[in-house]
Amino acid sequence: MTQEYIKNLLKDMTLKEKLGEMTQIPTDFLAETNAPAAPGPLTKSKITKEDLIYIGSCYATGAARVRAIQEKHMKEHPHHIPLVFTADIIYSYHTVFPIPLAMSCSFNPALYTLATSVIAKEASADGVQVTFAPMADLVRDPRWGRVMESPGEDPYLNAQMISAAVKGFQGDDPKAPGKLGSCVKHFAAYSASEAGRDYNSVDMSKGTFCEYYLSGYKAAIDAGCKMVMTSFNILDRVPSGANKEVYQDILRDMLKFKGVVISDYAAADETIEHGFSADAMEVAEHYLPNCDIELVGSDYYECAEQLIKEGRLSMEDIDKAVLRILNLKNDLGLFENPYKDADPELVKKLGGCEEHLKAAREVASRSIVLLQNNNKVLPLCKHEHIKIGIAGPFTDTIQALGGWALPEAPVVTLLEGMQRKFPNAEIVTAMTGELGAMQDGIFDVEDCVAEAVERLKDCDIIISAIGEHPLDTGESASRTILRMSDHQEKLVRELHRLGKPTVTLVFSGRPLEIRPLLPYTDAMVQCWFLGVECGNAIADVLSGDWNPSGKLSMSFPQTVGQIPVYYNHYNTGRPAHGKRQRYVSCYLDCPNEPLYPFGFGLSYSEFAFSDFLIKTQGETVKASVTVENVSDIAGTETVQLYIRDVAAQVVRPVKELKGFRQVNLEAHEKATVEFTITRDTLSFIGRDCKPIFEHGDFDIMIGNSSDNVMCERITL
Ligand code: BGC
């Protein structure tokens, strides 16, 4: 439709219709004849059955259901304005991919685009029109359960991945078949909640926010993302969605976001609980000028008219928001085709199709990170008649999906994957009971360790498949102890006593405290939650059919007491330089460095870096390095470029990732990798929160992990 049509439509709408557009409620409310009590503030809502016809969007999936709701709605709405259907399509629909924290370990944005385009296709066929994804919140605290939904701790990687995700969801045009509108979240700085406790307060300087946390949201907006979601936290003592500086000055003015803002679930009404809004009237007064749609809540719907009468809100505020919402619907093509791609037959065709599973397997195998491989215990030879022992709750379970996946998705379990990959091997399992019983607030397994040791005692290789329950990660799953549950740790320790080569596979949604287990295992493999192709992808890696290439997108702490621990920290006036002594900045009982840093990950190949060259032409610098695969196994290395601005008007991190490239090298093959460094690469966020370049000294670093780089200083 033309802008003229949309503007005339807006002129013609009543205030009730407009406020309905600005309200989103759960489907059940619309679908059932007698609207049930909905969760959150809708329980106290005065929205009646008669009002439902004005509602502009709802949270729903299911092609047939969506079509039925839309058909009825279109008939009854005074202006026949279509609903828009939203859902949380984060990393999965019928095909479940690895969690985003894992996908980011691929250091391969194209794979993220592949994953999001597959799930967009499946979800749009099932009636979804907008996804509440990607989550661009930068993460430094693994106590926070939602690190699993994030691309990790680095602003550069975050931006690359988030932009790739938006591209996959929306393509060039979200109206196109198989595409969704994308809603980046949670603006702003939701992930920085104090002590990692979900929904807790956030307090950070504007400089830190603009320098680190902003980049993911900005990348989404630059990629054309259609919506932004507010966050539950306060920022600078004001609930984020009610914070004018965050929403007007930063989002609208600085980032030039023109799309629709939606509240997080009931977040507008929660400003009462925060102690910021005194009542529903104040909720609407504070939140509405910043946020166009109230997701779960009816404060706008009930109070805006009175607020306009009292001069506390203007009709202009309402019209601006509604125009954006109508434009969103128009951008999705809903005026012409209100059902978009909803088609039950297409759902059957796409769900679990071969092409999608192939993509899921590829992404999953590239998301796995090899952390330790003593005595080159991996890869295992798939042709020998070996006896493989597998023990632990992740041996044969579908609990490998993470919290935002359909629970009934058809997972290839580790055991199934191993049986297919190692047909000549004898595979024995033990202690395979799932994580279930709660122990001090986290899930544990039944202690069958003695029996497991007995069953696996004559195996040639012993694999422990352990981790955390998917419900121990994700929203509202903060933890203060990041150790594995007692019985799982005991299993690894006791199996090690058998004196056989051992491999530990860790399934988790966050970096766990794995240090206590390292002495008891030869190989340590971080498997995250890998999705439906979990077993196949792990078997690919254990057999060497895929040579592991994942690099950590988030540092692993030595111990919880180090948190937050991240590679791109500032220096101090008293740097420790690796020493532990009084009056320098260090811990007495633990190194400053994480157990495994950002960018770290082993391969079965060995790579040597040489010929690090820097050429300066004016203000453009070319940095190159030769990477040689000095082993007999073909493999993939991720070459990482870091910089440090040695002195500036605000202190600079000791390292900042500014580029990466993946090289696939045959055995003994070499390649030269070159990066171009410009003023942009070397600029930073100055005191006025704007990008600035300053002349001076810079350290240019290239390596294969944030803690393993070659360094040259240049002056510009
Ligand atoms: C989460 C959001 C999600 C929303 C709707 C909230 O609890 O924080 O990430 O999009 O629910 O499901």
Side-chain angles (χ1 to χ4, degrees):
M1 296 293 175
T2 60
Q3 262 307 291
E4 200 192 343
Y5 173 90
I6 300 290
K7 286 195 175 145
N8 286 336
L9 178 59
L10 177 66
K11 268 194 216 141
D12 221 31
M13 288 166 73
T14 61
L15 182 59
K16 228 178 193 170
E17 284 175 69
K18 291 178 184 174
L19 295 176
E21 287 298 319
M22 298 177 72
T23 305
Q24 176 168 161
I25 60 174
T27 356
D28 290 348
F29 226 73
L30 286 173
E32 318 304 335
T33 17
N34 292 316
L42 280 183
T43 46
K44 61 179 186 193
S45 144
K46 295 191 192 76
I47 291 185
T48 64
K49 239 167 71 187
E50 286 66 47
D51 293 320
L52 292 181
I53 196 55
Y54 301 115
I55 297 301
S57 51
C58 76
Y59 191 95
T61 57
R65 190 171 190 222
V66 159
R67 290 190 82 92
I69 296 172
Q70 188 75 298
E71 196 183 343
K72 180 167 179 283
H73 181 82
M74 293 289 288
K75 260 192 224 139
E76 293 175 2
H77 188 279
H79 284 94
H80 313 292
I81 299 177
L83 285 159
V84 57
F85 293 93
T86 64
D88 289 278
I89 313 303
I90 312 289
Y91 55 88
S92 74
Y93 202 68
H94 293 297
T95 306
V96 184
F97 282 83
I99 55 171
L101 189 65
M103 282 201 267
S104 302
C105 294
S106 71
F107 269 64
N108 190 333
L111 286 182
Y112 210 159
T113 302
L114 175 68
T116 48
S117 56
V118 165
I119 56 180
K121 224 186 252 176
E122 294 180 351
S124 67
D126 213 18
V128 180
Q129 296 164 348
V130 166
T131 173
F132 292 147
M135 187 185 97
D137 302 313
L138 186 106
V139 289
R140 290 174 167 179
D141 191 336
R143 290 171 298 183
W144 192 55
R146 299 192 81 168
V147 300
M148 51 99 66
E149 291 172 60
S150 161
E153 76 186 35
D154 177 69
Y156 180 84
L157 181 64
N158 191 328
Q160 302 285 316
M161 289 296 177
I162 290 300
S163 171
V166 173
K167 214 184 278 168
F169 285 131
Q170 293 195 166
D172 295 330
D173 182 1
K175 190 191 287 167
K179 292 297 170 195
L180 300 170
S182 163
C183 175
V184 67
K185 62 194 189 184
H186 305 84
F187 203 69
Y190 171 43
S191 49
S193 55
E194 275 174 11
R197 176 156 53 82
D198 208 359
Y199 319 127
N200 202 4
S201 308
V202 173
D203 195 11
M204 70 171 65
S205 70
K206 192 171 169 194
T208 296
F209 175 67
C210 290
E211 177 109 52
Y212 294 100
Y213 288 79
L214 194 61
S215 80
Y217 313 117
K218 179 177 183 311
I221 291 164
D222 290 347
C225 173
K226 292 285 168 197
M227 290 179 75
V228 167
M229 183 180 278
T230 71
S231 58
F232 292 125
N233 54 287
I234 58 165
L235 190 52
D236 198 12
R237 299 174 293 161
V238 176
S240 80
N243 190 323
K244 193 173 163 303
E245 200 189 357
V246 172
Y247 272 85
Q248 301 301 328
D249 304 355
I250 300 183
L251 184 71
R252 297 290 186 195
D253 297 346
M254 191 204 269
L255 300 186
K256 311 255 175 292
F257 179 63
K258 304 248 174 326
V260 173
V261 175
I262 188 165
S263 76
D264 200 349
Y265 195 104
D269 197 73
E270 286 172 15
T271 60
I272 297 178
E273 210 53 75
H274 275 296
F276 184 77
S277 304
D279 51 26
M281 286 282 278
E282 282 198 4
V283 169
E285 183 181 12
H286 293 143
Y287 228 81
L288 188 147
N290 295 337
C291 169
D292 308 320
I293 302 180
E294 188 179 1
L295 167 61
V296 182
S298 55
D299 307 285
Y300 291 9
Y301 193 79
E302 286 164 25
C303 304
E305 190 171 358
Q306 184 59 26
L307 287 166
I308 294 171
K309 276 189 200 141
E310 291 177 19
R312 290 159 67 182
L313 278 181
S314 71
M315 209 43 211
E316 203 195 336
D317 289 325
I318 309 280
D319 281 350
K320 271 198 215 155
V322 177
L323 183 62
R324 285 191 285 257
I325 297 165
L326 296 177
N327 276 332
L328 170 72
K329 293 183 175 185
N330 198 27
D331 289 350
L332 291 167
L334 300 182
F335 288 102
E336 288 88 358
N337 175 12
Y339 308 107
K340 200 167 180 298
D341 308 324
D343 175 358
E345 288 310 307
L346 187 60
V347 174
K348 281 188 215 147
K349 216 163 98 193
L350 289 176
C353 72
E354 214 174 292
E355 186 193 333
H356 292 185
L357 292 179
K358 191 169 160 248
R361 183 168 180 166
E362 185 184 357
V363 178
S365 49
R366 283 160 174 75
S367 302
I368 293 169
V369 188
L370 178 64
L371 297 174
Q372 174 165 291
N373 193 17
N374 296 342
N375 311 317
K376 297 212 164 109
V377 64
L378 291 175
L380 308 176
C381 177
K382 55 179 181 178
H383 306 296
E384 281 174 18
H385 300 275
I386 48 173
K387 187 165 178 183
I388 303 175
I390 312 180
F394 288 90
T395 302
D396 195 19
T397 177
I398 60 161
Q399 288 179 345
L401 299 174
W404 282 115
L406 295 175
E408 70 275 16
V411 184
V412 178
T413 69
L414 171 66
L415 181 60
E416 286 162 1
M418 292 297 284
Q419 282 165 337
R420 284 180 203 172
K421 184 68 75 178
F422 294 90
N424 298 327
E426 183 188 348
I427 299 184
V428 190
T429 64
M431 200 165 134
T432 56
E434 292 190 339
L435 289 168
M438 274 282 181
Q439 279 291 341
D440 296 329
I442 64 162
F443 290 98
D444 200 355
V445 268
E446 211 185 311
D447 181 355
C448 304
V449 174
E451 196 189 315
V453 170
E454 184 55 31
R455 273 181 69 75
L456 268 48
K457 67 173 189 271
D458 57 355
C459 287
D460 301 304
I461 177 105
I462 292 176
I463 299 173
S464 302
I466 58 170
E468 60 179 349
H469 192 288
L471 291 178
D472 280 335
T473 76
E475 185 174 347
S476 189
S478 300
R479 292 175 59 180
T480 61
I481 297 171
L482 298 183
R483 295 275 294 260
M484 224 74 69
S485 68
D486 289 351
H487 296 155
Q488 296 188 93
E489 287 203 356
K490 181 173 167 197
L491 177 71
V492 175
R493 284 196 307 267
E494 294 299 313
L495 288 175
H496 178 256
R497 286 152 68 101
L498 291 171
K500 302 292 174 67
T502 48
V503 176
T504 302
L505 307 178
V506 178
F507 297 75
S508 66
R510 52 156 69 83
L512 288 174
E513 201 181 317
I514 55 176
R515 184 174 67 161
L517 296 180
L518 287 178
Y520 300 99
T521 186
D522 295 304
M524 178 69 83
V525 186
Q526 180 62 35
C527 296
W528 308 109
F529 292 127
L530 289 174
V532 280
E533 285 293 308
C534 166
N536 284 334
I538 297 173
D540 284 344
V541 165
L542 297 189
S543 65
D545 280 354
W546 175 251
N547 185 351
S549 59
K551 300 279 184 180
L552 292 179
S553 55
M554 190 173 183
S555 301
F556 271 50
Q558 307 261 3
T559 166
V560 167
Q562 275 189 320
I563 295 172
V565 60
Y566 48 93
Y567 86 95
N568 47 356
H569 58 85
Y570 302 121
N571 214 5
T572 66
R574 296 185 175 191
H577 299 302
K579 293 200 193 85
R580 264 191 251 171
Q581 61 192 38
R582 299 272 166 179
Y583 311 115
V584 297
S585 180
C586 69
Y587 297 107
L588 297 178
D589 56 354
C590 178
N592 285 0
E593 293 71 31
L595 181 66
Y596 294 113
F598 173 84
F600 175 84
L602 301 173
S603 160
Y604 299 147
S605 309
E606 272 172 53
F607 299 99
F609 283 54
S610 62
D611 302 331
F612 180 27
L613 289 176
I614 299 210
K615 281 190 232 138
T616 310
Q617 278 172 337
E619 265 160 17
T620 300
V621 177
K622 303 258 185 203
S624 64
V625 75
T626 300
V627 189
E628 183 175 0
N629 180 349
V630 291
S631 69
D632 296 329
I633 309 175
T636 300
E637 181 60 297
T638 303
V639 185
Q640 302 161 36
L641 170 76
Y642 296 90
I643 63 128
R644 179 180 182 189
D645 186 342
V646 177
Q649 62 169 250
V650 289
V651 295
R652 309 302 311 133
V654 294
K655 261 174 213 145
E656 294 175 82
L657 184 72
K658 291 291 176 179
F660 55 83
R661 296 253 205 300
Q662 281 191 337
V663 280
N664 305 316
L665 294 173
E666 295 298 328
H668 303 286
E669 193 189 0
K670 44 174 147 174
T672 299
V673 175
E674 186 179 82
F675 295 96
T676 301
I677 299 164
T678 62
R679 267 178 174 243
D680 267 1
T681 323
L682 301 173
S683 66
F684 60 93
I685 300 295
R687 295 182 80 97
D688 59 357
C689 289
K690 297 203 175 98
I692 178 175
F693 168 81
E694 279 180 1
H695 290 278
D697 289 347
F698 298 89
D699 286 337
I700 308 294
M701 295 164 266
I702 294 189
N704 66 354
S705 162
S706 65
D707 74 340
N708 184 29
V709 292
M710 299 192 265
C711 178
E712 287 284 339
R713 181 159 295 186
I714 60 167
T715 307
L716 282 185

